[in-house]
Amino acid sequence: MSLDLMAGYEEPPDLADEGVWLECIETGEQYAPFEEVRYRSDAGALLEVRYADLPTFEEFEGEGVWRYRESLPVEQEVTIDEGATPLYELPRLEDEIGVQSLRIKHEGMNPTGSFKDRGMTVGVGVAGELGVERLACASTGNTSAALAAYGGRAGMETLVLLPAGKVAAGKIAQASLHGARILEVEGNFDTCLDIVQDLAEQGEAYLLNSLNPFRLEGQKTIGFEILERHRNEYDTFPDRIVLPVGNAGNTAALYKAFRELVASGALSESEVPKLTGVQAAGAAPMVEAVEKGKDEVERWEEVETRATAIRIGNPVNAPKALPGIRATGGTAVAVSDEQITDAQRTLAGEGVGVEPASAASVAGLRKLREDGTVGSDERVVCLTTGHLLKDPDAAAAAGVEPESVPGETEGVLEHLGE
Ligand code: F0G
């Protein structure tokens, strides 16, 4: 395993007075976290939140995202009880795929039905600290739902930019009722993100996409939860975590959780799970970069998939996520929409309702187990990122047709007997 795992964590910080600072992932330049609004370093690279004190499992206390408050940049201010999501056993699927153990970490069980809540409880808290007025994001849907809910809870104005005609019904309904102003943009998600970045640079709004390093701090708690719970139940950490990839925010966030634990000595390098990303074949620039061994991702201008949540051609967190996949010995794989729907059906058949993008993780695991990349001796956790009801149309299309019957028992019995 590469020593990337420890990169940047050995050096004494210049700005550690408050114990928290921002650091450029390329130059190591440091910035005070709450004095100005800043999304990138002077070099134009991504920023990462750093802490003087690194986490150990012993100090975690409480439930949910804020159990990890010692590893988060702000105090708990805006919360709807996010995190503490289930780690389900699925014995039939485990059997079918043929691994030593399989768990599903179902992030669809968060308050607005996706993992985005973990990022927003922190990100909207930071927005309060910075004293900004209007919050904004580009979104394939889930981010907009979470931003609207957490912004509403904080009493802040929210603006969301969505790709017209490409966002699942449940997500628009949430953003709308939680009170966001919704702009439907002619273009895909990447166009929306270009525009909202311009708006943020011009001071029109505070950007809460995963480009914002504070949001990823909240999402990092997915990693802490998986490791803690897995060890409690199996006495060991998982060998591999498989997750859907869009902007690669979660991939970056999980890698950060691992690095912090390694740096504190709570996790040994050999215990770090292999980060394994899955994309839809019609939107797979990360897979392309991993397969070609590239350090950078080439933007795909044309993207298409039924898994609209990950219909993304320009994964902004690739510079953080690619080193994570590489350093942990993981990989990335593309799956077809049919494989995604099959996995969605299988999960639902065992009681776990997820949206299409979420099912990509299981579809990817199936594929990697079949081609031998994943061994039968592995303990695997698949992340499912959003709830089935987020995309009712996709669920109905993947499910069975209702049957019409007359309004009396005889007729029903006759129909059943057919
Ligand atoms: N799964 C779901 C259900 C998502 O909504 C997203 C991203 C991802 C996976 C990908 O996660 O970006 O961390 O790699 N949705 C964003 C949104 C883009 O706007 O809701 P990632």
Side-chain angles (χ1 to χ4, degrees):
M1 186 173 304
S2 137
L3 281 174
D4 263 6
L5 272 169
M6 288 292 292
Y9 278 96
E10 319 86 338
E11 286 167 33
D14 302 333
L15 279 167
D17 298 352
E18 306 286 323
V20 184
W21 66 98
L22 290 171
E23 198 165 301
C24 172
I25 65 162
E26 279 176 15
T27 65
E29 198 174 343
Q30 299 171 346
Y31 305 92
F34 307 124
E35 280 172 18
E36 55 171 347
V37 172
R38 173 179 276 284
Y39 310 103
R40 289 182 185 270
S41 69
D42 289 342
L46 296 176
L47 294 167
E48 208 162 57
V49 182
R50 293 293 173 96
Y51 304 87
D53 294 323
L54 290 165
T56 57
F57 289 111
E58 291 70 34
E59 75 196 19
F60 297 149
E61 194 178 272
E63 268 266 292
V65 167
W66 295 98
R67 170 175 174 76
Y68 308 100
R69 50 168 54 79
E70 299 293 332
S71 303
L72 296 174
V74 283
E75 298 291 317
Q76 173 180 336
E77 278 170 24
V78 192
T79 178
I80 328 177
D81 281 357
E82 48 291 315
T85 54
L87 189 67
Y88 293 127
E89 272 181 321
L90 275 81
R92 298 206 297 271
L93 183 59
E94 178 184 282
D95 223 40
E96 178 232 306
I97 292 182
V99 282
Q100 183 170 1
S101 69
L102 173 64
R103 288 288 180 119
I104 302 293
K105 177 70 169 167
H106 193 11
E107 285 295 300
M109 302 300 279
N110 273 297
T112 77
S114 86
F115 67 92
K116 306 287 182 181
D117 297 345
R118 294 182 188 263
M120 290 304 174
T121 185
V122 175
V124 174
V126 170
E129 191 83 22
L130 288 165
V132 300
E133 278 166 19
R134 187 203 263 166
L135 311 176
C137 70
S139 183
T140 55
N142 283 322
T143 303
S144 71
L147 180 70
Y150 283 81
R153 195 150 176 96
M156 289 180 187
E157 197 185 328
T158 53
L159 176 67
V160 306
L161 280 75
L162 309 179
K166 296 292 181 181
V167 177
K171 304 173 189 182
I172 299 187
Q174 288 179 293
S176 161
L177 192 59
H178 286 304
R181 184 162 175 195
I182 304 174
L183 306 185
E184 286 191 324
V185 177
E186 287 171 39
N188 59 27
F189 167 83
D190 305 293
T191 316
C192 296
L193 188 57
D194 290 343
I195 295 171
V196 83
Q197 284 190 74
D198 288 341
L199 295 180
E201 256 163 49
Q202 292 171 26
E204 291 291 329
Y206 184 61
L207 176 85
L208 274 168
N209 281 98
S210 56
L211 183 67
N212 183 318
F214 295 113
R215 240 196 61 191
L216 295 186
E217 292 305 290
Q219 289 172 213
K220 180 178 79 177
T221 63
I222 300 173
F224 292 154
E225 269 180 27
I226 290 176
L227 293 189
E228 277 200 291
R229 175 103 181 258
H230 200 277
R231 189 178 59 173
N232 284 348
E233 296 187 18
Y234 291 119
D235 230 16
T236 178
F237 299 114
D239 299 304
R240 188 184 295 273
I241 297 178
V242 186
L243 73 165
V245 173
N247 276 312
N250 274 335
T251 316
L254 288 172
Y255 181 44
K256 188 158 190 284
F258 303 158
R259 278 184 300 152
E260 289 184 356
L261 291 167
V262 168
S264 78
L267 188 71
S268 71
E269 288 202 20
S270 63
E271 287 172 324
V272 171
K274 296 178 169 68
L275 279 173
T276 302
V278 187
Q279 292 193 300
M286 279 280 289
V287 176
E288 182 182 69
V290 169
E291 282 176 354
K292 292 184 176 167
K294 285 194 186 161
D295 287 333
E296 277 174 30
V297 166
E298 249 172 70
R299 177 172 176 151
W300 286 22
E301 295 300 337
E302 300 294 322
V303 280
E304 203 48 85
T305 169
R306 195 179 290 163
T308 52
I310 52 172
R311 188 175 168 275
I312 294 174
N314 187 29
V316 287
N317 286 297
K320 291 179 172 177
L322 282 171
I325 290 175
R326 202 169 300 132
T328 61
T331 188
V333 66
V335 291
S336 69
D337 280 5
E338 289 66 35
Q339 289 170 321
I340 287 174
T341 299
D342 276 350
Q344 191 189 16
R345 277 198 201 100
T346 307
L347 284 163
E350 215 160 338
V352 179
V354 308
E355 67 165 289
S358 304
S361 61
V362 169
L365 174 63
R366 261 183 181 150
K367 190 167 170 183
L368 293 172
R369 181 68 196 96
E370 274 163 22
D371 74 13
T373 307
V374 173
S376 59
D377 57 346
E378 289 193 34
R379 293 191 180 277
V380 183
V381 173
C382 283
L383 198 64
T384 53
T385 40
H387 197 276
L388 177 150
L389 291 173
K390 287 285 193 172
D391 192 342
D393 298 326
V400 295
E401 283 289 316
E403 301 160 50
S404 295
V405 292
E408 33 93 17
T409 310
E410 273 304 301
V412 171
L413 280 171
E414 207 167 288
H415 179 86
L416 287 174
E418 269 171 14

